[in-house]
Amino acid sequence: MVGSVHVNGSVNGGNGTEERLDELRRLLGKSEGDLLKIVSIGAGAWGSVFAALLQDAYGHFREKVQIRVWRRAGRAVDRSTAEHLFDVINSREDVLRRLIRRCAYLKYVEARLGDRTLYADEILRDGFCLNMVDTPLCPLKVVTNLQEAVWDADIVVNGLPSTETREVFEELSKYWKERISVPVIISLAKGIEASLDPIPRIITPTQMISSAAGVPTENILYLGGPNIASEIYNKEYANARICGSNKWRKPLAKFLRQPHFIVWDNSDLVTHEVMGGLKNVYAIGAGMVAALTNESATSKSVYFAHCTSEMIFITHLLTEQPEKLAGPLLADTYVTLLKGRNAWYGQMLVKGELRLDMGDSIKGKGMIQGISAVGAFFELLSQPSLSVQHPEENKQVAPAELCPILKRLYRILIKRELPVRDILQALRDETMNDPRERIEMAQSHTFYRPSLLGKP
């Protein structure tokens, strides 16, 4: 089948695209002439790319589907970013021609000269995400009024950081009170909160959404995988998992699947979601070690051995069958260590280009989710009620005491009582156990604590 080729290189019309769209429309009860309305809430790198992938694949079926992005209005683009964006535009003939054809090029010239201020929602309409200006996307339909964006949406994509998810979905709930049908929500957020009272447990973004917006859990799914947003849009081969109820995950996996982006499905929603947050914790430390040791392969491999043993230990606390998560968790960790924003953040702290007092929302990168995740995991695993048997000292200790890297990251990033370079001491401590022993201990004892994920 010959498809239509777009200026950004995407090809539409083949591979049963319209049939997949019609199948999802039928499942959602859409009649002829009634648009399937999809809206992405939040316009970070992954949220914008996700919307752009859908727009490239299905946007030309204008009588059947509408794809939009909501982001807050008023975020100005600074002069240096405007200058860089102008260079990106002029380096891409296809993008340059598209902007000229849309009579949109002149404003970028004026911004480059300092004669005009651009805004994040404005450039997103032209296909530029503020957190990822080096990767032009297709033009997107952008809405800055939240009520307008979501009140009749059929599918809502949560592209917000986990730290903003609850607040925004509490507001959304006001607009859905009169709805007859409940929307389907796909959450892309990777991060957690810790609830310590009355029972220590993890709260994930999908749980935040359910409690804040009153949406039943069977209508909320999580999508994640070992990928970098810009590389996915540039058609690098990638895969992901969509996790949730059987009713929605299988048809949505089919709908989202593209030749270069394979989507599998899984029923284990919360555990996969937690793993997506856990790897961000150790990615920050990996960036620190890389910068402190001048990218020493030996030092990075030592760190990797210790951090993976801690992650394996933690997964044994969270799930009854941790071996099923080993592959996805390691793959997601690997790509984050290679090119993720959390590892980058650790490097910038060491180089002095960022400081802890600058917060966790970084210009050009967005939210550094690993910072809040360090605090949540450490505080949760420090609770005496979760104590486990120490392998050598014949006493009960909190799980965090058996995770020296997590403990050191907490003291550096959250308590700010140790310098950044102290992360190396976690690797050089002569009293530290062989990482193999930590894994063996986790495998030979019953550490599973279902209450951590809110299970009886």
Side-chain angles (χ1 to χ4, degrees), residues 68-85:
R68 301 192 293 177
V69 179
W70 172 82
R71 74 153 295 140
R72 296 180 179 89
R75 174 74 180 274
V77 179
D78 63 46
R79 176 78 181 273
S80 63
T81 303
E83 291 174 353
H84 180 59
L85 181 54

mmCIF file of all heavy atoms in Angstrom, residues 68-85:
data_model
loop_
_atom_site.group_PDB
_atom_site.id
_atom_site.type_symbol
_atom_site.label_atom_id
_atom_site.label_comp_id
_atom_site.label_asym_id
_atom_site.label_seq_id
_atom_site.Cartn_x
_atom_site.Cartn_y
_atom_site.Cartn_z
ATOM 1 N N ARG A 68 -4.853 16.605 20.330
ATOM 2 C CA ARG A 68 -4.443 17.916 20.829
ATOM 3 C C ARG A 68 -3.511 17.770 22.040
ATOM 4 O O ARG A 68 -3.452 16.718 22.664
ATOM 5 C CB ARG A 68 -5.667 18.752 21.211
ATOM 6 C CG ARG A 68 -6.621 18.979 20.051
ATOM 7 C CD ARG A 68 -7.657 20.046 20.380
ATOM 8 N NE ARG A 68 -8.573 19.646 21.427
ATOM 9 C CZ ARG A 68 -9.521 20.431 21.931
ATOM 10 N NH1 ARG A 68 -9.661 21.665 21.471
ATOM 11 N NH2 ARG A 68 -10.318 19.997 22.880
ATOM 12 N N VAL A 69 -2.825 18.861 22.336
ATOM 13 C CA VAL A 69 -1.918 18.910 23.491
ATOM 14 C C VAL A 69 -2.316 20.103 24.352
ATOM 15 O O VAL A 69 -2.553 21.199 23.833
ATOM 16 C CB VAL A 69 -0.445 19.075 23.053
ATOM 17 C CG1 VAL A 69 0.472 19.153 24.267
ATOM 18 C CG2 VAL A 69 -0.018 17.945 22.138
ATOM 19 N N TRP A 70 -2.406 19.864 25.658
ATOM 20 C CA TRP A 70 -2.585 20.992 26.578
ATOM 21 C C TRP A 70 -1.268 21.310 27.251
ATOM 22 O O TRP A 70 -0.549 20.423 27.698
ATOM 23 C CB TRP A 70 -3.604 20.645 27.673
ATOM 24 C CG TRP A 70 -3.656 21.710 28.743
ATOM 25 C CD1 TRP A 70 -4.345 22.887 28.698
ATOM 26 C CD2 TRP A 70 -2.951 21.718 29.993
ATOM 27 N NE1 TRP A 70 -4.122 23.618 29.843
ATOM 28 C CE2 TRP A 70 -3.266 22.920 30.662
ATOM 29 C CE3 TRP A 70 -2.088 20.810 30.615
ATOM 30 C CZ2 TRP A 70 -2.752 23.252 31.912
ATOM 31 C CZ3 TRP A 70 -1.561 21.137 31.865
ATOM 32 C CH2 TRP A 70 -1.896 22.345 32.506
ATOM 33 N N ARG A 71 -0.943 22.598 27.265
ATOM 34 C CA ARG A 71 0.157 23.066 28.095
ATOM 35 C C ARG A 71 -0.196 24.453 28.607
ATOM 36 O O ARG A 71 -1.007 25.171 28.016
ATOM 37 C CB ARG A 71 1.492 23.077 27.363
ATOM 38 C CG ARG A 71 1.720 24.144 26.338
ATOM 39 C CD ARG A 71 3.222 24.427 26.201
ATOM 40 N NE ARG A 71 3.740 24.990 27.428
ATOM 41 C CZ ARG A 71 4.931 24.676 27.972
ATOM 42 N NH1 ARG A 71 5.721 23.827 27.379
ATOM 43 N NH2 ARG A 71 5.314 25.237 29.115
ATOM 44 N N ARG A 72 0.401 24.828 29.710
ATOM 45 C CA ARG A 72 0.120 26.132 30.303
ATOM 46 C C ARG A 72 0.615 27.246 29.389
ATOM 47 O O ARG A 72 1.673 27.136 28.762
ATOM 48 C CB ARG A 72 0.785 26.259 31.671
ATOM 49 C CG ARG A 72 0.246 25.287 32.706
ATOM 50 C CD ARG A 72 0.960 25.467 34.038
ATOM 51 N NE ARG A 72 0.443 24.556 35.059
ATOM 52 C CZ ARG A 72 0.899 23.344 35.287
ATOM 53 N NH1 ARG A 72 1.905 22.878 34.557
ATOM 54 N NH2 ARG A 72 0.382 22.583 36.230
ATOM 55 N N ALA A 73 -0.146 28.336 29.344
ATOM 56 C CA ALA A 73 0.254 29.501 28.554
ATOM 57 C C ALA A 73 1.225 30.361 29.348
ATOM 58 O O ALA A 73 1.346 30.231 30.569
ATOM 59 C CB ALA A 73 -0.980 30.321 28.178
ATOM 60 N N GLY A 74 1.947 31.228 28.646
ATOM 61 C CA GLY A 74 2.741 32.255 29.315
ATOM 62 C C GLY A 74 4.192 31.924 29.567
ATOM 63 O O GLY A 74 4.933 32.770 30.076
ATOM 64 N N ARG A 75 4.642 30.713 29.220
ATOM 65 C CA ARG A 75 6.058 30.366 29.446
ATOM 66 C C ARG A 75 6.899 30.958 28.315
ATOM 67 O O ARG A 75 6.833 30.521 27.161
ATOM 68 C CB ARG A 75 6.217 28.847 29.486
ATOM 69 C CG ARG A 75 7.660 28.357 29.573
ATOM 70 C CD ARG A 75 8.238 28.560 30.952
ATOM 71 N NE ARG A 75 9.606 28.100 31.025
ATOM 72 C CZ ARG A 75 9.974 26.841 31.294
ATOM 73 N NH1 ARG A 75 9.044 25.912 31.510
ATOM 74 N NH2 ARG A 75 11.247 26.518 31.372
ATOM 75 N N ALA A 76 7.681 31.973 28.623
ATOM 76 C CA ALA A 76 8.487 32.657 27.611
ATOM 77 C C ALA A 76 9.724 31.840 27.247
ATOM 78 O O ALA A 76 10.295 31.133 28.084
ATOM 79 C CB ALA A 76 8.898 34.030 28.115
ATOM 80 N N VAL A 77 10.124 31.948 25.990
ATOM 81 C CA VAL A 77 11.350 31.314 25.498
ATOM 82 C C VAL A 77 12.478 32.337 25.623
ATOM 83 O O VAL A 77 12.374 33.441 25.077
ATOM 84 C CB VAL A 77 11.195 30.868 24.029
ATOM 85 C CG1 VAL A 77 12.485 30.241 23.508
ATOM 86 C CG2 VAL A 77 10.020 29.910 23.883
ATOM 87 N N ASP A 78 13.536 32.013 26.351
ATOM 88 C CA ASP A 78 14.598 33.008 26.548
ATOM 89 C C ASP A 78 15.402 33.223 25.274
ATOM 90 O O ASP A 78 15.324 32.462 24.310
ATOM 91 C CB ASP A 78 15.501 32.625 27.729
ATOM 92 C CG ASP A 78 16.240 31.314 27.514
ATOM 93 O OD1 ASP A 78 16.809 31.112 26.430
ATOM 94 O OD2 ASP A 78 16.237 30.471 28.432
ATOM 95 N N ARG A 79 16.182 34.283 25.279
ATOM 96 C CA ARG A 79 16.908 34.714 24.072
ATOM 97 C C ARG A 79 17.867 33.632 23.569
ATOM 98 O O ARG A 79 17.939 33.366 22.366
ATOM 99 C CB ARG A 79 17.670 36.010 24.386
ATOM 100 C CG ARG A 79 18.547 36.535 23.243
ATOM 101 C CD ARG A 79 17.754 37.232 22.175
ATOM 102 N NE ARG A 79 18.597 37.702 21.090
ATOM 103 C CZ ARG A 79 19.219 38.882 21.066
ATOM 104 N NH1 ARG A 79 19.079 39.732 22.085
ATOM 105 N NH2 ARG A 79 19.955 39.242 20.025
ATOM 106 N N SER A 80 18.614 33.001 24.461
ATOM 107 C CA SER A 80 19.600 32.001 24.017
ATOM 108 C C SER A 80 18.905 30.798 23.376
ATOM 109 O O SER A 80 19.392 30.248 22.382
ATOM 110 C CB SER A 80 20.466 31.547 25.199
ATOM 111 O OG SER A 80 19.684 30.906 26.199
ATOM 112 N N THR A 81 17.755 30.378 23.931
ATOM 113 C CA THR A 81 17.017 29.258 23.336
ATOM 114 C C THR A 81 16.450 29.666 21.980
ATOM 115 O O THR A 81 16.457 28.869 21.036
ATOM 116 C CB THR A 81 15.883 28.815 24.273
ATOM 117 O OG1 THR A 81 16.433 28.458 25.542
ATOM 118 C CG2 THR A 81 15.140 27.616 23.695
ATOM 119 N N ALA A 82 15.966 30.906 21.865
ATOM 120 C CA ALA A 82 15.441 31.397 20.585
ATOM 121 C C ALA A 82 16.533 31.421 19.517
ATOM 122 O O ALA A 82 16.288 31.075 18.344
ATOM 123 C CB ALA A 82 14.842 32.789 20.761
ATOM 124 N N GLU A 83 17.737 31.799 19.910
ATOM 125 C CA GLU A 83 18.856 31.815 18.960
ATOM 126 C C GLU A 83 19.188 30.395 18.508
ATOM 127 O O GLU A 83 19.428 30.149 17.316
ATOM 128 C CB GLU A 83 20.077 32.474 19.616
ATOM 129 C CG GLU A 83 19.907 33.962 19.852
ATOM 130 C CD GLU A 83 21.070 34.566 20.635
ATOM 131 O OE1 GLU A 83 21.937 33.788 21.098
ATOM 132 O OE2 GLU A 83 21.114 35.802 20.779
ATOM 133 N N HIS A 84 19.220 29.465 19.468
ATOM 134 C CA HIS A 84 19.517 28.069 19.120
ATOM 135 C C HIS A 84 18.418 27.481 18.246
ATOM 136 O O HIS A 84 18.701 26.761 17.275
ATOM 137 C CB HIS A 84 19.680 27.249 20.393
ATOM 138 C CG HIS A 84 19.993 25.808 20.141
ATOM 139 N ND1 HIS A 84 21.117 25.394 19.439
ATOM 140 C CD2 HIS A 84 19.328 24.670 20.468
ATOM 141 C CE1 HIS A 84 21.124 24.070 19.352
ATOM 142 N NE2 HIS A 84 20.045 23.610 19.968
ATOM 143 N N LEU A 85 17.177 27.807 18.559
ATOM 144 C CA LEU A 85 16.052 27.316 17.771
ATOM 145 C C LEU A 85 16.134 27.818 16.336
ATOM 146 O O LEU A 85 15.859 27.071 15.384
ATOM 147 C CB LEU A 85 14.741 27.777 18.426
ATOM 148 C CG LEU A 85 13.422 27.344 17.773
ATOM 149 C CD1 LEU A 85 13.370 25.836 17.586
ATOM 150 C CD2 LEU A 85 12.252 27.819 18.619
#
